[in-house]
Amino acid sequence: MLAVFNKSVAKSPVELQQSPQNGAVSALKDGFLATHFSSTRSGSFVINLASSGFFAYSSARQNPLLPRLFAVVDDIFCLFEGHIENIAVLKQQYGLNKTANEVSIVIEAYRTLRDRGPYPAEQVVRGILGRFAFVLFDATSQSTFIASDVDGSVPFFWGTDAEGHLVVSTDTEIVKQGCGKSSSPFPKGCFFTSSGGLRSYEHPNELKAVPRVDSSGEVCGMTFKVDEGSRKGKPAMPRVGSDANWSQHY
């Protein structure tokens, strides 16, 4: 799966933007990366998000135990790859019917947070047990929500292209095609939002960016690790106004 977001809706971490971008291109210009994805994967689908970017996915070459799923609910777009182990518990928790699948659960969990749910975002993501990676875009609030499981079981990568747009994919070669040397693994046990940036849902500490070095000694992207020397406070869920929106505050 692949998602590219305009830098106006998903500003990637400064450290990722500042990492070497040798070989990076403009992923959105003339539909470059979407066209490349479609031409190299049979049965692919591209979902245009207008000026905000695009989603793309294909059922080709997928692990049957970690399937790719896509859904749209009330202008919330979500790509999910993997398997949720406690799916029955989460269906009951979010009031979903028996036919609901993993991607439906992620969308409903996001909507609960967005509409001032009673739990911190870390707790909600931590409650999803299994092997997964997902990318969500809320067209109404122009917000992104990206996460990976605690073990990084599903290969997941990100980077910034030549114009600073965010590229996220389960295929490292696709990210390299758009981002060159800034391509890096998405940090496991973490989630990223447009307004809150990158956070760990396993640890309260700040994340520290560490340059990655390839076999030739060149810096190629960043690895984000928990900084044991710092501790991030846990802000309460905003409760200001009837139209308070988690996606704009967290």
Side-chain angles (χ1 to χ4, degrees), residues 13-133:
V14 173
E15 297 88 350
L16 201 63
Q17 297 177 43
Q18 294 177 343
S19 61
Q21 293 186 336
N22 301 14
V25 300
S26 176
L28 292 177
K29 187 176 181 180
D30 300 324
F32 171 77
L33 205 56
T35 300
H36 176 74
F37 183 92
S38 298
S39 66
T40 56
R41 284 156 181 76
S42 61
S44 59
F45 298 87
V46 176
I47 300 90
N48 192 338
L49 302 174
S51 61
S52 299
F54 70 88
F55 277 5
Y57 71 99
S58 168
S59 58
R61 293 183 286 178
Q62 69 175 326
N63 183 339
L65 299 178
L66 302 171
R68 299 183 193 113
L69 302 170
F70 172 75
V72 185
V73 178
D74 296 335
D75 286 331
I76 300 173
F77 299 75
C78 185
L79 270 171
F80 179 98
E81 185 166 334
H83 171 68
I84 294 177
E85 295 173 357
N86 60 332
I87 190 168
V89 173
L90 295 178
K91 284 180 185 180
Q92 183 176 19
Q93 178 178 329
Y94 293 113
L96 297 171
N97 60 41
K98 293 181 179 180
T99 62
N101 59 13
E102 281 88 347
V103 72
S104 301
I105 288 171
V106 170
I107 290 175
E108 194 58 35
Y110 168 80
R111 289 209 300 185
T112 298
L113 290 169
R114 184 193 65 181
D115 300 334
R116 297 180 298 136
Y119 306 109
E122 293 103 323
Q123 184 173 336
V124 173
V125 183
R126 192 163 54 240
I128 303 174
L129 307 179
R131 304 163 63 193
F132 63 85

Side-chain angles (χ1 to χ4, degrees), residues 75-249:
D75 286 331
I76 300 173
F77 299 75
C78 185
L79 270 171
F80 179 98
E81 185 166 334
H83 171 68
I84 294 177
E85 295 173 357
N86 60 332
I87 190 168
V89 173
L90 295 178
K91 284 180 185 180
Q92 183 176 19
Q93 178 178 329
Y94 293 113
L96 297 171
N97 60 41
K98 293 181 179 180
T99 62
N101 59 13
E102 281 88 347
V103 72
S104 301
I105 288 171
V106 170
I107 290 175
E108 194 58 35
Y110 168 80
R111 289 209 300 185
T112 298
L113 290 169
R114 184 193 65 181
D115 300 334
R116 297 180 298 136
Y119 306 109
E122 293 103 323
Q123 184 173 336
V124 173
V125 183
R126 192 163 54 240
I128 303 174
L129 307 179
R131 304 163 63 193
F132 63 85
F134 66 79
V135 184
L136 179 149
F137 176 70
D138 183 343
T140 301
S141 63
Q142 293 288 290
S143 303
T144 57
F145 186 26
I146 304 167
S148 175
D149 71 63
V150 295
D151 297 315
S153 305
V154 175
F156 204 31
F157 308 89
W158 67 343
T160 53
D161 74 355
E163 296 185 339
H165 304 316
L166 182 64
V167 179
V168 187
S169 178
T170 50
D171 188 329
T172 183
E173 293 305 320
I174 284 289
V175 180
K176 288 179 180 178
Q177 186 74 27
C179 306
K181 290 286 187 177
S182 81
S183 171
S184 307
F186 187 87
K188 59 186 180 181
C190 292
F191 68 100
F192 172 87
T193 65
S194 299
S195 56
L198 183 68
R199 296 174 65 94
S200 168
Y201 59 83
E202 280 294 287
H203 303 279
N205 301 61
E206 297 276 0
L207 292 170
K208 181 179 181 180
V210 180
R212 296 175 65 238
V213 180
D214 63 17
S215 57
S216 63
E218 292 187 30
V219 175
C220 53
M222 293 286 172
T223 297
F224 290 85
K225 298 181 178 181
V226 173
D227 185 355
E228 299 297 339
S230 68
R231 184 179 180 84
K232 178 174 287 189
K234 291 188 176 182
M237 191 65 65
R239 291 290 190 277
V240 287
S242 60
D243 61 343
N245 183 329
W246 166 83
S247 64
Q248 299 299 323
H249 292 278

